[in-house]
């Protein structure tokens, strides 16, 4: 019976885990998670991600132990870590899910493949999500996604054969300690969601049965969206829940509501939700098909439009970036979102789009440093979705509608009584409702009475909205209008475009 290592990466669960289920049927299995220095040093990494992963690993360790095996954790480079493990416990098979991630993980997988050949280890990868590898054409992709999602989720194994007791104690002795991995990094996300498969299922159940009824109406507001959105994104990003499990649970719930005349709100919301599960994979497919989008514009005609190299930034560009990062742009909704992200690691889609739009258009900053910073603040950082969306919201794909959000209009529409703004910007706590979206318009006496002096307690707007909006619009439409941009847009559409136009607009 072959000995197998199941290598957990962004699939930290036992349910609907085909590699684990298949390996378990063939022989003894140990689970392995590796904290890789390259990932820990990447500009997208945050100690908040590690805290979530640690939660997941804790629950995974308990589940594997209850089934009869162990989860090993290591802190080291790849494939050297496999080398050492292989010396300790000769394994013939390696099982994992396919990963669509940062270029460093792609390069690491190539090294692992070469290592497996050298050591005569058979590596079997199974698809995760609806991402197709390799994909020849986008035509018919949605049908393939449905065919991937339709089979029921794979059951967790009922038992596992693990290593012997002696082997277990020597293998476990080398486990990585959380403090060793974390070093002296401080986690600012003190109010973030907790990780783990059990938590993921609780969140899924509460969304489908308690919180989700007003999802469609409330998803765009930062206050109501907090509970009306599913909040499953970090669980999907780290795989404490599979997208297929969510898809089936959603289908079952929709089916159960079919004949209920009072469930119109639920049905609309869940139909809208279901589509987004496909978007998850649609956006990841873009990175799978063109890994370069982590570094360069989808549409190469936009190269050079904004300055990417931070060492070439003017002092003014750096100041604008710092104001945006620090939640001190003078636009209350932008600042509230940035401060909320620092502590919680989550904000809803509309606010994410507004944050990037503001950075890209009003502040005219390149999407790459903007994306890297937000990646450290999003607990659910998922490279394929993130880089695609950051480019899309910066207008450099050439195939999406250009959306330049007004942060003032968004504040009026999405936070009309300023509850969200006041929660995250205590300096504005006593600003009257009529000034909460534009506090700089308060007369001096009102500022004094509200205890908020513009330019002292709270900054004046870092740029003037109207001027910045008009300049950005002109620049982006000039760039879009060139024949090169149009040719490139056709290429981008053929390679990546959703064949259903509604998806691309978002
Ligand atoms: C600039 C920007 C960056 C983003 N970066 C990420 C990221 O790193 N990781 C991430 O998971 N999502 C990202 N999103 C997409 C979206 O904002 C989040 O998935 C969503 O807000 C997560 O909250 P939720 O799980 O409650 O979402 P829900 O609205 O409940 O949606 C359910 C699931 O559908 C998927 N989904 C929803 N909207 C989208 C979308 N527009 N594109 C792709 N998938 C979607 C997600 O997996 C999400 O968990 C980004 C959006 C923008 C505008």
């Amino acid at each position: 019976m072959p000995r197998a290592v199941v290598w957990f990466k962004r699939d930290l669960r036992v349910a609907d885990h085909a590699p684990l289920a298949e390996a378990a049927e063939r022989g003894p299995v140990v689970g392995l998670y590796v904290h890789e220095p390259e990932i820990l040093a990447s500009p997208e990494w945050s100690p908040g991600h590690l805290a979530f992963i640690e939660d997941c690993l804790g629950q995974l360790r308990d589940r594997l132990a209850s089934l009869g095996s162990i989860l090993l954790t290591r802190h080291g480079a790849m494939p050297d870590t496999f080398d050492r493990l292989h010396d300790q416990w000769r394994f013939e098979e390696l099982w994992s899910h396919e990963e669509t991630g940062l270029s460093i993980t792609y390069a690491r997988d190539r090294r692992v493949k070469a290592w497996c050949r050298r050591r005569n280890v058979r590596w079997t990868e199974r698809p995760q999500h609806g991402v197709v590898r390799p994909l020849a054409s986008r035509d018919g992709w949605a049908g393939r996604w449905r065919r991937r999602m339709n089979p029921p989720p794979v059951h967790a194994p009922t038992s596992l054969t693990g290593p012997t007791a002696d082997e277990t104690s020597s293998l476990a002795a080398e486990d990585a300690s959380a403090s060793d991995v974390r070093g002296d990094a401080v986690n600012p996300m003190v109010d973030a969601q907790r990780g783990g498969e059990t938590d993921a299922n609780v969140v899924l159940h509460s969304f489908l049965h308690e919180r989700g009824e007003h999802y469609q109406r409330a998803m765009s507001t930062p206050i109501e969206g907090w509970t009306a959105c599913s909040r499953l994104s970090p669980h999907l990003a780290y795989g404490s829940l599979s997208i297929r499990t969510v898809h089936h649970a959603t289908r079952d719930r929709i089916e159960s509501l079919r004949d209920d005349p009072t469930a119109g709100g639920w049905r609309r919301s869940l139909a809208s939700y279901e589509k987004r599960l496909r978007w998850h994979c649609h956006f990841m497919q873009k990175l799978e098909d063109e890994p370069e989008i982590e570094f360069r514009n989808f549409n190469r005609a936009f190269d050079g439009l904004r300055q990417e190299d931070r060492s070439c930034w003017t002092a003014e560009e750096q100041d604008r970036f710092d104001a945006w990062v620090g939640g001190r742009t003078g636009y209350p909704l932008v600042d509230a979102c940035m401060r909320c992200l620092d502590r919680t690691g989550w904000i809803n889609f509309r606010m994410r789009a507004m944050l990037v739009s503001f950075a890209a258009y009003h502040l005219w900053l390149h999407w790459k440093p903007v994306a890297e910073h937000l990646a450290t603040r999003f607990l659910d950082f998922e490279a394929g979705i993130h880089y695609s969306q950051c480019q899309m919201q910066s207008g450099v794909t050439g195939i999406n509608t250009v959306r330049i959000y007004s942060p003032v209009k968004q504040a009026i529409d999405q936070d009309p009584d300023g509850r969200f703004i006041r929660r995250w910007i205590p300096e504005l706590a006593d600003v009257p409702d009529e000034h909460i979206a534009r506090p700089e318009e308060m007369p001096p006496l009102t500022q004094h009475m509200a205890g908020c002096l513009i330019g002292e307690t709270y900054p004046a707007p870092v740029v003037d909205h109207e001027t910045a909006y008009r300049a950005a619009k002109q620049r982006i439409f000039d760039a879009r209008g060139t024949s090169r941009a149009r040719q490139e847009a056709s290429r981008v559409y053929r390679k990546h475009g959703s064949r259903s136009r509604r998806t691309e607009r978002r």
Side-chain angles (χ1 to χ4, degrees):
M1 288 203 300
R3 287 173 159 197
V5 166
V6 176
W7 179 20
F8 290 93
K9 296 189 274 183
R10 292 172 73 95
D11 50 355
L12 306 178
R13 61 178 184 273
V14 295
D16 200 27
H17 198 295
L20 176 66
E22 290 183 55
E25 283 184 2
R26 295 169 55 80
V29 167
V30 302
L32 172 72
Y33 183 86
V34 184
H35 296 282
E36 298 167 67
E38 257 188 316
I39 295 180
L40 297 169
S42 68
E44 292 87 355
W45 183 80
S46 136
H49 301 156
L50 180 60
F52 192 87
I53 291 169
E54 285 292 343
D55 286 343
C56 294
L57 294 179
Q59 293 187 11
L60 186 57
R61 187 176 293 116
D62 292 347
R63 282 303 301 276
L64 293 182
S66 72
L67 294 171
S69 187
I70 52 170
L71 176 72
L72 303 175
T73 54
R74 296 288 186 267
H75 180 196
M78 297 293 262
D80 312 11
T81 302
F82 276 145
D83 244 347
R84 280 193 296 282
L85 179 59
H86 196 250
D87 289 344
Q88 276 187 297
W89 195 70
R90 291 275 145 179
F91 55 96
E92 289 91 32
E93 296 187 352
L94 177 66
W95 290 80
S96 74
H97 274 119
E98 289 171 352
E99 183 176 359
T100 303
L102 294 170
S103 58
I104 48 177
T105 65
Y106 178 66
R108 168 259 272 147
D109 281 354
R110 289 168 67 103
R111 295 197 301 273
V112 168
K113 191 164 272 171
W115 178 87
C116 286
R117 270 199 302 271
R118 279 200 308 278
R119 290 295 195 120
N120 212 13
V121 169
R122 200 170 74 115
W123 183 13
T124 309
E125 291 180 280
R126 294 287 178 239
Q128 127 138 313
H129 317 306
V131 174
V132 180
R133 175 185 290 179
L135 181 69
S137 160
R138 267 288 180 156
D139 295 342
W141 183 87
R144 295 178 76 159
W145 185 87
R146 275 190 290 275
R147 285 195 291 283
R148 184 74 72 72
M149 291 301 134
N150 281 346
V154 177
H155 288 298
T158 48
S159 69
L160 296 169
T161 308
T164 63
D166 281 354
E167 287 170 337
T168 296
S169 57
S170 72
L171 286 167
E174 298 215 356
D175 266 356
S177 78
S179 58
D180 176 34
V181 177
R182 200 181 312 116
D184 44 22
V186 177
N187 178 12
M189 292 184 199
V190 286
D191 294 324
Q193 282 174 259
R194 304 299 304 262
E197 195 167 1
T198 308
D199 295 59
N201 282 291
V202 171
V203 175
L204 172 62
H205 187 272
S206 74
F207 174 68
L208 292 179
H209 295 268
E210 295 154 25
R211 297 182 289 113
E213 183 172 7
H214 304 297
Y215 171 75
Q216 194 193 27
R217 174 180 59 70
M219 69 169 95
S220 298
T221 88
I223 290 226
E224 288 180 72
W226 188 260
T227 44
C229 288
S230 73
R231 308 299 306 275
L232 284 170
S233 52
H235 293 292
L236 293 173
Y238 289 100
S240 32
L241 200 61
S242 79
I243 201 131
R244 185 161 48 180
T245 300
V246 180
H247 171 73
H248 278 266
T250 309
R251 287 266 86 217
D252 290 350
R253 176 72 172 136
I254 291 174
E255 194 52 34
S256 75
L257 295 166
R258 203 155 53 114
D259 301 323
D260 182 346
T262 65
W266 271 110
R267 278 195 296 271
R268 276 191 300 280
S269 282
L270 294 182
S272 164
Y273 179 71
E274 244 196 328
K275 275 193 307 212
R276 283 166 176 78
L277 296 177
R278 195 167 70 241
W279 295 1
H280 170 277
C281 306
H282 163 75
F283 283 100
M284 287 183 72
Q285 185 74 54
K286 297 185 190 218
L287 184 68
E288 174 70 31
D289 294 345
E290 193 172 352
E292 296 79 11
I293 62 157
E294 179 186 337
F295 301 107
R296 55 179 212 210
N297 292 325
F298 271 102
N299 186 317
R300 305 305 303 275
F302 292 92
D303 288 0
L305 187 65
R306 300 177 177 98
Q307 178 56 263
E308 176 185 356
D309 184 351
R310 290 180 64 176
S311 67
C312 298
W313 277 2
T314 60
E316 198 197 331
E317 278 169 318
Q318 186 63 50
D319 287 349
R320 280 189 251 136
F321 182 72
D322 291 345
W324 177 78
V325 165
R328 294 193 58 78
T329 65
Y331 284 93
L333 190 59
V334 171
D335 295 342
C337 288
M338 293 302 279
R339 297 186 198 187
C340 167
L341 275 172
D342 285 347
R343 281 183 73 92
T344 70
W346 189 85
I347 195 80
N348 58 326
F349 172 85
R350 174 68 66 87
M351 295 300 108
R352 295 184 196 209
M354 179 197 69
L355 289 176
V356 174
S357 153
F358 185 79
Y361 293 116
H362 291 77
L363 307 184
W364 204 251
L365 296 169
H366 195 281
W367 56 265
K368 180 68 174 163
V370 166
E372 284 178 353
H373 176 73
L374 287 180
T376 67
R377 295 305 190 262
F378 290 176
L379 186 61
D380 58 25
F381 168 60
E382 181 64 77
I385 303 177
H386 191 68
Y387 278 111
S388 302
Q389 281 286 354
C390 285
Q391 291 211 37
M392 203 166 140
Q393 305 301 339
S394 304
V396 293
T397 66
I399 63 168
N400 305 107
T401 310
V402 171
R403 286 228 166 83
I404 309 180
Y405 291 93
S406 156
V408 175
K409 181 174 184 307
Q410 288 302 310
I412 294 165
D413 291 351
Q414 308 300 346
D415 187 27
D417 56 7
R419 231 177 346 137
F420 180 76
I421 290 173
R422 288 194 184 85
R423 167 150 185 230
W424 292 105
I425 312 185
E427 307 94 285
L428 302 181
D430 296 322
V431 168
D433 283 1
E434 64 270 28
H435 292 298
I436 196 72
R438 300 214 75 161
E440 75 280 7
E441 290 183 346
M442 280 188 291
L445 182 61
T446 317
Q447 291 187 30
H448 184 72
M449 293 181 65
C452 176
L453 304 182
I454 298 302
E456 288 181 34
T457 332
Y458 183 70
V462 63
V463 289
D464 172 64
H465 164 68
E466 278 303 327
T467 316
Y469 171 87
R470 263 195 238 108
K473 195 169 163 195
Q474 181 77 50
R475 286 163 109 169
I476 201 77
F477 279 103
D478 284 353
R480 263 174 93 99
T482 64
S483 60
R484 167 119 200 274
R486 284 199 294 269
Q487 273 166 17
E488 272 285 284
S490 306
R491 182 192 61 77
V492 174
Y493 175 73
R494 275 196 308 279
K495 190 165 183 68
H496 299 290
S498 162
R499 293 343 188 212
S500 121
R501 294 297 297 159
R502 291 181 66 78
T503 306
E504 275 316 326
R505 284 208 295 273
R506 188 147 181 205

